[in-house]
Structure formats: structure tokens, C-alpha cells
Amino acid sequence: MASSLSLGDLLDRTWERLGRVTGYYAQDELILNGLNPAQNLLVLLDPTLLHKRALVSLIAKEAFIDLTVAAPRCVAMQRIVIGDVSAEDPTRSQGLMGELHPCTRAQLRWRREWWRTEGTPKLWYWHGRRWIGVSPRPAVAMTFTLIYTGLPRAFTDTDMGAVSELAATLHPLIADIAAALCLVKEGQIEAARAMQLLQNWVGEEPLAPMRKALARLTRDSVMHQQAPVTAGERA
């Protein structure tokens, strides 16, 4: 079984991968623009890599959950369950357990007085991009468990012993991708090499926009170099 790599270990591996350009990258630069984006990229490409759970409480008649507070790194909601299932020993809420079913506000509008109805919540829906509503409104205070895809906890340079929330088998890949992301900024040749490495690790399709952007920059640079010099410019 693969062993976990601490932030210090990841930094060492990233510097090793950067090779001759190691000196260009300070520790905080590698963390901010290399390691953190690398682990986020892995989750965005495969949301099954990291599922998180958060316990939230709603007072009676309260219908909304603010994800910026309850789950600030949420990418996609998977399930909402009545009660506390965030630990190995589930706990009921008001003697109840069960899963809420997702719906939309458009579907709820077909239900008469849905906004004022109180009872045991059975449905959940998105309200904007960072709020979730439950319906009916809970008649009494209740607890819920959010089960969601979330971005990994960000590294900071104040804790060199921190370990990524992703599986240990992915830790070497985090450092490798971080090095490639840094190389993208080194110019055309290094950027092309970095994208080839990234393509080997994450596939070709996610990199298509980046390849188009690089090709456009290269084309514009060549056209600028070949542009004829006018009389005014010679003067």
C-alpha cells in the first residue's frame, strides 16, 4: 500500500521534477500555483476521488443551507440525509432518518403553497449557486448531513506536515502535475513539454483549450516577428 506524502515531501518531489529551473520557484509559489491547483484539478476531472460530509442544523421554519458556511469547498452535492451520518455511528434527528430527494424550484411551483408548507423535509433544491433549500420547511429544529464532492483542503506553508485528503496513491501524481503546471509558464518549448506530460496523466480532452491558447500565442508571436517594418518605424 502506498504511503502518504507530506507537504514537505511533495515540495521535494516537485523541485526534483522541475530540474534545472528549480531555482525559479520559491516554496510559496509551488504551493499556491502548483500543488493546490494540481490536487484541485484531479478532483475536477474525477469527482469520485473525494467525497466529504458536513453536519448542518436548521431551526424550525428555516428553509435554506448556506454552502459558503456549511461546505465552502463543495463542487457538487451528492446526497442530503436527515440525521447525523458523518460518523460511523449514525444518529437520528427528531427520531427520523432518511434521504431527501433532489428537485428543482420549477417542479416545486406546481405544488400549491409549497413555500409556506411545514413538516418533515422530503426534497432539496438549488437556490442560486451557493444555497440549498429544503421542502417542506422543517416544523421543528432538525439536523442534516451533506454528502458532497469537495475540493481538497488547501496547503499552506505554515504546516509542512500536512497531508492531502486525496488517496495516498495519488500523492506522487499531485507533485508531478504541480511541476508541469509551473513549466507551462516557462515559454513555448517548456509549455509544450508540460502539456505533453499533462496529457499522459489526465488525458487529451481536458487540455484542448490550453493547446488552442498556446497555438494562438505562438501564431501571434510569429506574425509579429514577420510583420514588415514601416517607414515611420525605421525613422
Side-chain angles (χ1 to χ4, degrees), residues 89-135:
D89 186 17
T91 304
R92 296 176 180 269
S93 176
Q94 301 295 338
L96 300 171
M97 290 197 75
E99 186 173 343
L100 305 188
H101 299 287
C103 69
T104 65
R105 292 182 60 183
Q107 292 171 323
L108 286 171
R109 280 197 290 268
W110 290 97
R111 300 167 179 257
R112 173 177 290 186
E113 298 293 320
W114 72 271
W115 176 246
R116 295 186 177 88
T117 303
E118 298 177 14
T120 300
K122 296 180 175 61
L123 305 170
W124 70 268
Y125 58 93
W126 284 101
H127 182 74
R129 299 182 62 183
R130 302 300 297 173
W131 289 73
I132 279 178
V134 298
S135 180

mmCIF file of all heavy atoms in Angstrom, residues 89-135:
data_model
loop_
_atom_site.group_PDB
_atom_site.id
_atom_site.type_symbol
_atom_site.label_atom_id
_atom_site.label_comp_id
_atom_site.label_asym_id
_atom_site.label_seq_id
_atom_site.Cartn_x
_atom_site.Cartn_y
_atom_site.Cartn_z
ATOM 1 N N ASP A 89 -21.185 5.940 13.649
ATOM 2 C CA ASP A 89 -22.391 5.622 14.408
ATOM 3 C C ASP A 89 -23.473 6.648 14.087
ATOM 4 O O ASP A 89 -23.495 7.741 14.647
ATOM 5 C CB ASP A 89 -22.082 5.629 15.910
ATOM 6 C CG ASP A 89 -23.275 5.168 16.740
ATOM 7 O OD1 ASP A 89 -24.188 4.549 16.164
ATOM 8 O OD2 ASP A 89 -23.288 5.433 17.958
ATOM 9 N N PRO A 90 -24.401 6.342 13.150
ATOM 10 C CA PRO A 90 -25.426 7.315 12.751
ATOM 11 C C PRO A 90 -26.331 7.706 13.918
ATOM 12 O O PRO A 90 -26.588 6.908 14.818
ATOM 13 C CB PRO A 90 -26.215 6.569 11.658
ATOM 14 C CG PRO A 90 -25.303 5.487 11.191
ATOM 15 C CD PRO A 90 -24.510 5.082 12.395
ATOM 16 N N THR A 91 -26.804 8.947 13.870
ATOM 17 C CA THR A 91 -27.701 9.471 14.900
ATOM 18 C C THR A 91 -28.934 10.046 14.228
ATOM 19 O O THR A 91 -28.833 10.807 13.259
ATOM 20 C CB THR A 91 -27.012 10.567 15.728
ATOM 21 O OG1 THR A 91 -25.812 10.047 16.290
ATOM 22 C CG2 THR A 91 -27.918 11.053 16.844
ATOM 23 N N ARG A 92 -30.108 9.702 14.735
ATOM 24 C CA ARG A 92 -31.356 10.208 14.170
ATOM 25 C C ARG A 92 -31.575 11.676 14.553
ATOM 26 O O ARG A 92 -31.027 12.154 15.542
ATOM 27 C CB ARG A 92 -32.546 9.365 14.656
ATOM 28 C CG ARG A 92 -32.488 7.918 14.191
ATOM 29 C CD ARG A 92 -33.638 7.112 14.784
ATOM 30 N NE ARG A 92 -33.584 5.728 14.348
ATOM 31 C CZ ARG A 92 -34.199 5.268 13.266
ATOM 32 N NH1 ARG A 92 -34.938 6.084 12.536
ATOM 33 N NH2 ARG A 92 -34.095 4.001 12.913
ATOM 34 N N SER A 93 -32.401 12.348 13.781
ATOM 35 C CA SER A 93 -32.816 13.708 14.099
ATOM 36 C C SER A 93 -34.322 13.700 14.311
ATOM 37 O O SER A 93 -35.088 13.322 13.416
ATOM 38 C CB SER A 93 -32.462 14.670 12.963
ATOM 39 O OG SER A 93 -32.948 15.978 13.241
ATOM 40 N N GLN A 94 -34.762 14.079 15.521
ATOM 41 C CA GLN A 94 -36.182 14.024 15.881
ATOM 42 C C GLN A 94 -36.742 12.622 15.644
ATOM 43 O O GLN A 94 -37.898 12.453 15.243
ATOM 44 C CB GLN A 94 -36.980 15.055 15.058
ATOM 45 C CG GLN A 94 -36.530 16.489 15.226
ATOM 46 C CD GLN A 94 -36.758 17.006 16.639
ATOM 47 O OE1 GLN A 94 -37.580 16.478 17.381
ATOM 48 N NE2 GLN A 94 -36.010 18.046 17.005
ATOM 49 N N GLY A 95 -35.901 11.617 15.886
ATOM 50 C CA GLY A 95 -36.325 10.230 15.709
ATOM 51 C C GLY A 95 -36.411 9.797 14.262
ATOM 52 O O GLY A 95 -36.919 8.713 13.972
ATOM 53 N N LEU A 96 -35.910 10.629 13.348
ATOM 54 C CA LEU A 96 -36.053 10.346 11.920
ATOM 55 C C LEU A 96 -34.696 10.151 11.253
ATOM 56 O O LEU A 96 -33.690 10.722 11.669
ATOM 57 C CB LEU A 96 -36.782 11.502 11.223
ATOM 58 C CG LEU A 96 -38.194 11.824 11.719
ATOM 59 C CD1 LEU A 96 -38.678 13.123 11.075
ATOM 60 C CD2 LEU A 96 -39.144 10.680 11.381
ATOM 61 N N MET A 97 -34.711 9.351 10.212
ATOM 62 C CA MET A 97 -33.571 9.235 9.313
ATOM 63 C C MET A 97 -34.136 9.017 7.920
ATOM 64 O O MET A 97 -35.277 8.600 7.758
ATOM 65 C CB MET A 97 -32.639 8.082 9.697
ATOM 66 C CG MET A 97 -31.863 8.305 10.980
ATOM 67 S SD MET A 97 -30.454 7.187 11.163
ATOM 68 C CE MET A 97 -29.315 7.927 9.991
ATOM 69 N N GLY A 98 -33.350 9.296 6.925
ATOM 70 C CA GLY A 98 -33.807 9.108 5.548
ATOM 71 C C GLY A 98 -33.163 10.123 4.632
ATOM 72 O O GLY A 98 -32.535 11.089 5.067
ATOM 73 N N GLU A 99 -33.309 9.899 3.358
ATOM 74 C CA GLU A 99 -32.653 10.734 2.351
ATOM 75 C C GLU A 99 -33.645 11.677 1.697
ATOM 76 O O GLU A 99 -34.773 11.283 1.363
ATOM 77 C CB GLU A 99 -32.005 9.836 1.298
ATOM 78 C CG GLU A 99 -31.183 10.576 0.274
ATOM 79 C CD GLU A 99 -30.428 9.625 -0.639
ATOM 80 O OE1 GLU A 99 -30.291 8.443 -0.275
ATOM 81 O OE2 GLU A 99 -29.975 10.067 -1.713
ATOM 82 N N LEU A 100 -33.239 12.935 1.523
ATOM 83 C CA LEU A 100 -34.056 13.878 0.769
ATOM 84 C C LEU A 100 -33.825 13.658 -0.722
ATOM 85 O O LEU A 100 -32.730 13.282 -1.143
ATOM 86 C CB LEU A 100 -33.696 15.318 1.139
ATOM 87 C CG LEU A 100 -33.763 15.713 2.616
ATOM 88 C CD1 LEU A 100 -33.562 17.219 2.764
ATOM 89 C CD2 LEU A 100 -35.075 15.289 3.250
ATOM 90 N N HIS A 101 -34.848 13.915 -1.515
ATOM 91 C CA HIS A 101 -34.751 13.708 -2.957
ATOM 92 C C HIS A 101 -34.537 15.047 -3.666
ATOM 93 O O HIS A 101 -35.182 16.041 -3.328
ATOM 94 C CB HIS A 101 -36.019 13.037 -3.486
ATOM 95 C CG HIS A 101 -36.268 11.684 -2.882
ATOM 96 N ND1 HIS A 101 -35.525 10.576 -3.201
ATOM 97 C CD2 HIS A 101 -37.176 11.273 -1.948
ATOM 98 C CE1 HIS A 101 -35.953 9.536 -2.510
ATOM 99 N NE2 HIS A 101 -36.947 9.935 -1.739
ATOM 100 N N PRO A 102 -33.642 15.102 -4.646
ATOM 101 C CA PRO A 102 -33.397 16.364 -5.349
ATOM 102 C C PRO A 102 -34.551 16.742 -6.263
ATOM 103 O O PRO A 102 -35.223 15.883 -6.848
ATOM 104 C CB PRO A 102 -32.128 16.067 -6.157
ATOM 105 C CG PRO A 102 -32.154 14.582 -6.355
ATOM 106 C CD PRO A 102 -32.778 14.010 -5.115
ATOM 107 N N CYS A 103 -34.793 18.039 -6.393
ATOM 108 C CA CYS A 103 -35.811 18.547 -7.317
ATOM 109 C C CYS A 103 -35.385 19.954 -7.732
ATOM 110 O O CYS A 103 -34.317 20.432 -7.353
ATOM 111 C CB CYS A 103 -37.195 18.541 -6.674
ATOM 112 S SG CYS A 103 -37.381 19.741 -5.334
ATOM 113 N N THR A 104 -36.229 20.603 -8.503
ATOM 114 C CA THR A 104 -35.948 21.973 -8.928
ATOM 115 C C THR A 104 -37.047 22.896 -8.430
ATOM 116 O O THR A 104 -38.152 22.448 -8.074
ATOM 117 C CB THR A 104 -35.872 22.083 -10.458
ATOM 118 O OG1 THR A 104 -37.176 21.789 -11.008
ATOM 119 C CG2 THR A 104 -34.864 21.096 -11.024
ATOM 120 N N ARG A 105 -36.764 24.183 -8.409
ATOM 121 C CA ARG A 105 -37.792 25.145 -7.994
ATOM 122 C C ARG A 105 -38.954 25.138 -8.989
ATOM 123 O O ARG A 105 -40.098 25.352 -8.591
ATOM 124 C CB ARG A 105 -37.183 26.538 -7.892
ATOM 125 C CG ARG A 105 -36.176 26.680 -6.742
ATOM 126 C CD ARG A 105 -35.639 28.079 -6.641
ATOM 127 N NE ARG A 105 -36.708 29.047 -6.413
ATOM 128 C CZ ARG A 105 -36.509 30.360 -6.347
ATOM 129 N NH1 ARG A 105 -35.286 30.841 -6.497
ATOM 130 N NH2 ARG A 105 -37.506 31.179 -6.133
ATOM 131 N N ALA A 106 -38.653 24.874 -10.262
ATOM 132 C CA ALA A 106 -39.728 24.815 -11.253
ATOM 133 C C ALA A 106 -40.696 23.681 -10.921
ATOM 134 O O ALA A 106 -41.926 23.827 -11.069
ATOM 135 C CB ALA A 106 -39.142 24.634 -12.645
ATOM 136 N N GLN A 107 -40.178 22.546 -10.471
ATOM 137 C CA GLN A 107 -41.054 21.433 -10.088
ATOM 138 C C GLN A 107 -41.866 21.766 -8.838
ATOM 139 O O GLN A 107 -43.028 21.379 -8.718
ATOM 140 C CB GLN A 107 -40.201 20.185 -9.855
ATOM 141 C CG GLN A 107 -39.560 19.632 -11.115
ATOM 142 C CD GLN A 107 -38.566 18.535 -10.824
ATOM 143 O OE1 GLN A 107 -37.838 18.584 -9.827
ATOM 144 N NE2 GLN A 107 -38.504 17.519 -11.689
ATOM 145 N N LEU A 108 -41.257 22.486 -7.903
ATOM 146 C CA LEU A 108 -41.966 22.832 -6.675
ATOM 147 C C LEU A 108 -43.108 23.811 -6.928
ATOM 148 O O LEU A 108 -44.111 23.802 -6.207
ATOM 149 C CB LEU A 108 -40.985 23.440 -5.661
ATOM 150 C CG LEU A 108 -40.021 22.460 -4.989
ATOM 151 C CD1 LEU A 108 -38.975 23.223 -4.190
ATOM 152 C CD2 LEU A 108 -40.786 21.495 -4.087
ATOM 153 N N ARG A 109 -42.978 24.641 -7.941
ATOM 154 C CA ARG A 109 -44.018 25.648 -8.195
ATOM 155 C C ARG A 109 -45.360 25.018 -8.548
ATOM 156 O O ARG A 109 -46.407 25.672 -8.452
ATOM 157 C CB ARG A 109 -43.566 26.597 -9.304
ATOM 158 C CG ARG A 109 -42.608 27.683 -8.812
ATOM 159 C CD ARG A 109 -42.503 28.825 -9.795
ATOM 160 N NE ARG A 109 -41.804 28.439 -11.003
ATOM 161 C CZ ARG A 109 -40.494 28.582 -11.176
ATOM 162 N NH1 ARG A 109 -39.747 29.081 -10.200
ATOM 163 N NH2 ARG A 109 -39.919 28.240 -12.312
ATOM 164 N N TRP A 110 -45.345 23.757 -8.954
ATOM 165 C CA TRP A 110 -46.606 23.079 -9.251
ATOM 166 C C TRP A 110 -47.334 22.646 -7.980
ATOM 167 O O TRP A 110 -48.493 22.223 -8.041
ATOM 168 C CB TRP A 110 -46.355 21.864 -10.145
ATOM 169 C CG TRP A 110 -45.954 22.234 -11.535
ATOM 170 C CD1 TRP A 110 -44.698 22.308 -12.060
ATOM 171 C CD2 TRP A 110 -46.834 22.626 -12.598
ATOM 172 N NE1 TRP A 110 -44.724 22.704 -13.364
ATOM 173 C CE2 TRP A 110 -46.043 22.900 -13.732
ATOM 174 C CE3 TRP A 110 -48.216 22.765 -12.709
ATOM 175 C CZ2 TRP A 110 -46.566 23.304 -14.949
ATOM 176 C CZ3 TRP A 110 -48.754 23.159 -13.924
ATOM 177 C CH2 TRP A 110 -47.934 23.428 -15.023
ATOM 178 N N ARG A 111 -46.660 22.727 -6.845
ATOM 179 C CA ARG A 111 -47.281 22.338 -5.579
ATOM 180 C C ARG A 111 -47.876 23.571 -4.905
ATOM 181 O O ARG A 111 -47.156 24.527 -4.623
ATOM 182 C CB ARG A 111 -46.250 21.679 -4.647
ATOM 183 C CG ARG A 111 -45.616 20.426 -5.230
ATOM 184 C CD ARG A 111 -44.401 20.015 -4.400
ATOM 185 N NE ARG A 111 -43.781 18.799 -4.934
ATOM 186 C CZ ARG A 111 -43.927 17.601 -4.403
ATOM 187 N NH1 ARG A 111 -44.652 17.445 -3.282
ATOM 188 N NH2 ARG A 111 -43.340 16.552 -4.932
ATOM 189 N N ARG A 112 -49.158 23.536 -4.628
ATOM 190 C CA ARG A 112 -49.822 24.688 -4.026
ATOM 191 C C ARG A 112 -49.235 24.978 -2.635
ATOM 192 O O ARG A 112 -49.043 24.064 -1.834
ATOM 193 C CB ARG A 112 -51.326 24.433 -3.905
ATOM 194 C CG ARG A 112 -52.079 25.522 -3.141
ATOM 195 C CD ARG A 112 -53.568 25.274 -3.106
ATOM 196 N NE ARG A 112 -54.170 25.461 -4.416
ATOM 197 C CZ ARG A 112 -55.499 25.416 -4.629
ATOM 198 N NH1 ARG A 112 -56.324 25.167 -3.627
ATOM 199 N NH2 ARG A 112 -55.972 25.606 -5.850
ATOM 200 N N GLU A 113 -48.960 26.249 -2.392
ATOM 201 C CA GLU A 113 -48.464 26.709 -1.089
ATOM 202 C C GLU A 113 -47.185 25.997 -0.656
ATOM 203 O O GLU A 113 -46.914 25.861 0.533
ATOM 204 C CB GLU A 113 -49.554 26.505 -0.010
ATOM 205 C CG GLU A 113 -50.830 27.286 -0.248
ATOM 206 C CD GLU A 113 -50.643 28.779 -0.129
ATOM 207 O OE1 GLU A 113 -49.912 29.214 0.777
ATOM 208 O OE2 GLU A 113 -51.225 29.517 -0.952
ATOM 209 N N TRP A 114 -46.376 25.550 -1.624
ATOM 210 C CA TRP A 114 -45.167 24.811 -1.255
ATOM 211 C C TRP A 114 -44.238 25.636 -0.380
ATOM 212 O O TRP A 114 -43.567 25.107 0.501
ATOM 213 C CB TRP A 114 -44.436 24.337 -2.511
ATOM 214 C CG TRP A 114 -43.753 25.451 -3.280
ATOM 215 C CD1 TRP A 114 -44.295 26.207 -4.266
ATOM 216 C CD2 TRP A 114 -42.408 25.900 -3.103
ATOM 217 N NE1 TRP A 114 -43.382 27.117 -4.731
ATOM 218 C CE2 TRP A 114 -42.207 26.952 -4.034
ATOM 219 C CE3 TRP A 114 -41.356 25.530 -2.266
ATOM 220 C CZ2 TRP A 114 -41.004 27.644 -4.146
ATOM 221 C CZ3 TRP A 114 -40.150 26.202 -2.365
ATOM 222 C CH2 TRP A 114 -39.985 27.255 -3.289
ATOM 223 N N TRP A 115 -44.206 26.952 -0.592
ATOM 224 C CA TRP A 115 -43.284 27.798 0.143
ATOM 225 C C TRP A 115 -43.664 27.919 1.623
ATOM 226 O O TRP A 115 -42.788 27.997 2.481
ATOM 227 C CB TRP A 115 -43.245 29.171 -0.509
ATOM 228 C CG TRP A 115 -42.393 30.158 0.225
ATOM 229 C CD1 TRP A 115 -42.781 31.281 0.875
ATOM 230 C CD2 TRP A 115 -40.964 30.099 0.373
ATOM 231 N NE1 TRP A 115 -41.709 31.931 1.422
ATOM 232 C CE2 TRP A 115 -40.576 31.218 1.130
ATOM 233 C CE3 TRP A 115 -39.999 29.207 -0.059
ATOM 234 C CZ2 TRP A 115 -39.255 31.462 1.461
ATOM 235 C CZ3 TRP A 115 -38.682 29.459 0.275
ATOM 236 C CH2 TRP A 115 -38.324 30.563 1.025
ATOM 237 N N ARG A 116 -44.954 27.865 1.915
ATOM 238 C CA ARG A 116 -45.403 28.037 3.296
ATOM 239 C C ARG A 116 -45.555 26.705 4.040
ATOM 240 O O ARG A 116 -45.669 26.687 5.263
ATOM 241 C CB ARG A 116 -46.748 28.757 3.325
ATOM 242 C CG ARG A 116 -46.700 30.186 2.801
ATOM 243 C CD ARG A 116 -48.051 30.877 3.007
ATOM 244 N NE ARG A 116 -48.027 32.258 2.576
ATOM 245 C CZ ARG A 116 -48.290 32.664 1.345
ATOM 246 N NH1 ARG A 116 -48.606 31.765 0.413
ATOM 247 N NH2 ARG A 116 -48.240 33.940 1.031
ATOM 248 N N THR A 117 -45.549 25.617 3.314
ATOM 249 C CA THR A 117 -45.798 24.315 3.944
ATOM 250 C C THR A 117 -44.686 23.940 4.925
ATOM 251 O O THR A 117 -43.504 24.095 4.633
ATOM 252 C CB THR A 117 -45.910 23.221 2.868
ATOM 253 O OG1 THR A 117 -46.946 23.570 1.945
ATOM 254 C CG2 THR A 117 -46.217 21.875 3.500
ATOM 255 N N GLU A 118 -45.100 23.452 6.107
ATOM 256 C CA GLU A 118 -44.149 22.996 7.114
ATOM 257 C C GLU A 118 -44.384 21.515 7.385
ATOM 258 O O GLU A 118 -45.493 21.006 7.216
ATOM 259 C CB GLU A 118 -44.320 23.792 8.411
ATOM 260 C CG GLU A 118 -44.049 25.283 8.256
ATOM 261 C CD GLU A 118 -44.293 26.035 9.548
ATOM 262 O OE1 GLU A 118 -44.401 25.377 10.612
ATOM 263 O OE2 GLU A 118 -44.384 27.271 9.517
ATOM 264 N N GLY A 119 -43.338 20.832 7.805
ATOM 265 C CA GLY A 119 -43.445 19.403 8.094
ATOM 266 C C GLY A 119 -42.069 18.779 8.118
ATOM 267 O O GLY A 119 -41.083 19.426 8.486
ATOM 268 N N THR A 120 -41.988 17.535 7.715
ATOM 269 C CA THR A 120 -40.704 16.844 7.619
ATOM 270 C C THR A 120 -40.157 17.005 6.200
ATOM 271 O O THR A 120 -40.818 16.605 5.238
ATOM 272 C CB THR A 120 -40.864 15.346 7.932
ATOM 273 O OG1 THR A 120 -41.371 15.186 9.252
ATOM 274 C CG2 THR A 120 -39.515 14.636 7.825
ATOM 275 N N PRO A 121 -38.987 17.617 6.048
ATOM 276 C CA PRO A 121 -38.440 17.814 4.695
ATOM 277 C C PRO A 121 -38.287 16.502 3.944
ATOM 278 O O PRO A 121 -37.838 15.489 4.497
ATOM 279 C CB PRO A 121 -37.075 18.467 4.969
ATOM 280 C CG PRO A 121 -37.235 19.122 6.304
ATOM 281 C CD PRO A 121 -38.132 18.212 7.080
ATOM 282 N N LYS A 122 -38.680 16.529 2.685
ATOM 283 C CA LYS A 122 -38.559 15.355 1.819
ATOM 284 C C LYS A 122 -37.776 15.656 0.548
ATOM 285 O O LYS A 122 -37.333 14.735 -0.140
ATOM 286 C CB LYS A 122 -39.949 14.832 1.447
ATOM 287 C CG LYS A 122 -40.772 14.329 2.627
ATOM 288 C CD LYS A 122 -42.122 13.828 2.160
ATOM 289 C CE LYS A 122 -42.913 13.204 3.307
ATOM 290 N NZ LYS A 122 -43.187 14.165 4.396
ATOM 291 N N LEU A 123 -37.629 16.955 0.206
ATOM 292 C CA LEU A 123 -36.988 17.361 -1.036
ATOM 293 C C LEU A 123 -35.906 18.405 -0.765
ATOM 294 O O LEU A 123 -35.967 19.127 0.227
ATOM 295 C CB LEU A 123 -38.023 17.952 -2.002
ATOM 296 C CG LEU A 123 -39.243 17.083 -2.349
ATOM 297 C CD1 LEU A 123 -40.272 17.914 -3.102
ATOM 298 C CD2 LEU A 123 -38.820 15.877 -3.176
ATOM 299 N N TRP A 124 -34.919 18.474 -1.664
ATOM 300 C CA TRP A 124 -33.957 19.569 -1.616
ATOM 301 C C TRP A 124 -33.758 20.114 -3.023
ATOM 302 O O TRP A 124 -33.940 19.421 -4.013
ATOM 303 C CB TRP A 124 -32.626 19.129 -0.995
ATOM 304 C CG TRP A 124 -31.789 18.187 -1.824
ATOM 305 C CD1 TRP A 124 -31.804 16.825 -1.798
ATOM 306 C CD2 TRP A 124 -30.799 18.558 -2.798
ATOM 307 N NE1 TRP A 124 -30.887 16.317 -2.683
ATOM 308 C CE2 TRP A 124 -30.247 17.345 -3.307
ATOM 309 C CE3 TRP A 124 -30.301 19.770 -3.271
ATOM 310 C CZ2 TRP A 124 -29.259 17.328 -4.278
ATOM 311 C CZ3 TRP A 124 -29.307 19.756 -4.245
ATOM 312 C CH2 TRP A 124 -28.798 18.540 -4.736
ATOM 313 N N TYR A 125 -33.407 21.403 -3.110
ATOM 314 C CA TYR A 125 -33.265 22.059 -4.400
ATOM 315 C C TYR A 125 -32.198 23.150 -4.293
ATOM 316 O O TYR A 125 -31.876 23.648 -3.201
ATOM 317 C CB TYR A 125 -34.598 22.679 -4.843
ATOM 318 C CG TYR A 125 -35.153 23.694 -3.860
ATOM 319 C CD1 TYR A 125 -34.882 25.054 -3.991
ATOM 320 C CD2 TYR A 125 -35.944 23.286 -2.783
ATOM 321 C CE1 TYR A 125 -35.388 25.971 -3.085
ATOM 322 C CE2 TYR A 125 -36.456 24.192 -1.880
ATOM 323 C CZ TYR A 125 -36.169 25.538 -2.029
ATOM 324 O OH TYR A 125 -36.662 26.448 -1.117
ATOM 325 N N TRP A 126 -31.644 23.515 -5.464
ATOM 326 C CA TRP A 126 -30.665 24.593 -5.516
ATOM 327 C C TRP A 126 -31.384 25.936 -5.533
ATOM 328 O O TRP A 126 -32.355 26.125 -6.257
ATOM 329 C CB TRP A 126 -29.781 24.478 -6.751
ATOM 330 C CG TRP A 126 -28.741 23.407 -6.654
ATOM 331 C CD1 TRP A 126 -28.783 22.164 -7.206
ATOM 332 C CD2 TRP A 126 -27.505 23.502 -5.952
ATOM 333 N NE1 TRP A 126 -27.642 21.461 -6.893
ATOM 334 C CE2 TRP A 126 -26.836 22.256 -6.125
ATOM 335 C CE3 TRP A 126 -26.883 24.495 -5.193
ATOM 336 C CZ2 TRP A 126 -25.591 22.008 -5.561
ATOM 337 C CZ3 TRP A 126 -25.639 24.237 -4.640
ATOM 338 C CH2 TRP A 126 -25.008 23.007 -4.826
ATOM 339 N N HIS A 127 -30.872 26.865 -4.731
ATOM 340 C CA HIS A 127 -31.366 28.240 -4.724
ATOM 341 C C HIS A 127 -30.166 29.129 -5.033
ATOM 342 O O HIS A 127 -29.391 29.477 -4.152
ATOM 343 C CB HIS A 127 -31.965 28.579 -3.347
ATOM 344 C CG HIS A 127 -32.550 29.962 -3.272
ATOM 345 N ND1 HIS A 127 -33.742 30.284 -3.864
ATOM 346 C CD2 HIS A 127 -32.098 31.096 -2.679
ATOM 347 C CE1 HIS A 127 -34.016 31.554 -3.639
ATOM 348 N NE2 HIS A 127 -33.034 32.068 -2.922
ATOM 349 N N GLY A 128 -29.981 29.445 -6.324
ATOM 350 C CA GLY A 128 -28.751 30.101 -6.735
ATOM 351 C C GLY A 128 -27.634 29.074 -6.844
ATOM 352 O O GLY A 128 -27.868 27.879 -7.019
ATOM 353 N N ARG A 129 -26.414 29.526 -6.697
ATOM 354 C CA ARG A 129 -25.265 28.638 -6.859
ATOM 355 C C ARG A 129 -24.684 28.158 -5.538
ATOM 356 O O ARG A 129 -23.987 27.152 -5.503
ATOM 357 C CB ARG A 129 -24.170 29.359 -7.658
ATOM 358 C CG ARG A 129 -24.591 29.766 -9.065
ATOM 359 C CD ARG A 129 -23.461 30.413 -9.818
ATOM 360 N NE ARG A 129 -22.330 29.521 -10.008
ATOM 361 C CZ ARG A 129 -21.194 29.864 -10.591
ATOM 362 N NH1 ARG A 129 -21.031 31.097 -11.043
ATOM 363 N NH2 ARG A 129 -20.216 28.983 -10.722
ATOM 364 N N ARG A 130 -24.946 28.852 -4.457
ATOM 365 C CA ARG A 130 -24.304 28.512 -3.194
ATOM 366 C C ARG A 130 -25.294 28.314 -2.046
ATOM 367 O O ARG A 130 -24.897 28.280 -0.893
ATOM 368 C CB ARG A 130 -23.290 29.606 -2.805
ATOM 369 C CG ARG A 130 -22.209 29.856 -3.832
ATOM 370 C CD ARG A 130 -21.372 28.635 -4.108
ATOM 371 N NE ARG A 130 -20.631 28.166 -2.942
ATOM 372 C CZ ARG A 130 -19.942 27.053 -2.890
ATOM 373 N NH1 ARG A 130 -19.913 26.244 -3.936
ATOM 374 N NH2 ARG A 130 -19.305 26.702 -1.792
ATOM 375 N N TRP A 131 -26.570 28.213 -2.376
ATOM 376 C CA TRP A 131 -27.580 27.963 -1.353
ATOM 377 C C TRP A 131 -28.395 26.736 -1.735
ATOM 378 O O TRP A 131 -28.644 26.479 -2.914
ATOM 379 C CB TRP A 131 -28.520 29.159 -1.209
ATOM 380 C CG TRP A 131 -27.884 30.353 -0.562
ATOM 381 C CD1 TRP A 131 -26.967 31.199 -1.122
ATOM 382 C CD2 TRP A 131 -28.122 30.839 0.755
ATOM 383 N NE1 TRP A 131 -26.615 32.173 -0.241
ATOM 384 C CE2 TRP A 131 -27.304 31.988 0.933
ATOM 385 C CE3 TRP A 131 -28.929 30.421 1.812
ATOM 386 C CZ2 TRP A 131 -27.288 32.711 2.115
ATOM 387 C CZ3 TRP A 131 -28.924 31.160 2.991
ATOM 388 C CH2 TRP A 131 -28.106 32.278 3.144
ATOM 389 N N ILE A 132 -28.819 25.991 -0.716
ATOM 390 C CA ILE A 132 -29.692 24.844 -0.927
ATOM 391 C C ILE A 132 -30.922 25.018 -0.053
ATOM 392 O O ILE A 132 -30.825 25.418 1.118
ATOM 393 C CB ILE A 132 -28.954 23.530 -0.576
ATOM 394 C CG1 ILE A 132 -28.068 23.115 -1.753
ATOM 395 C CG2 ILE A 132 -29.918 22.411 -0.232
ATOM 396 C CD1 ILE A 132 -27.265 21.866 -1.512
ATOM 397 N N GLY A 133 -32.091 24.740 -0.630
ATOM 398 C CA GLY A 133 -33.334 24.819 0.120
ATOM 399 C C GLY A 133 -33.910 23.435 0.353
ATOM 400 O O GLY A 133 -33.647 22.500 -0.417
ATOM 401 N N VAL A 134 -34.675 23.281 1.435
ATOM 402 C CA VAL A 134 -35.365 22.026 1.719
ATOM 403 C C VAL A 134 -36.866 22.276 1.744
ATOM 404 O O VAL A 134 -37.324 23.372 2.091
ATOM 405 C CB VAL A 134 -34.904 21.404 3.061
ATOM 406 C CG1 VAL A 134 -33.426 21.085 2.999
ATOM 407 C CG2 VAL A 134 -35.218 22.328 4.238
ATOM 408 N N SER A 135 -37.620 21.281 1.369
ATOM 409 C CA SER A 135 -39.083 21.414 1.322
ATOM 410 C C SER A 135 -39.721 20.086 1.747
ATOM 411 O O SER A 135 -39.261 19.020 1.306
ATOM 412 C CB SER A 135 -39.531 21.787 -0.100
ATOM 413 O OG SER A 135 -40.932 21.926 -0.173
#
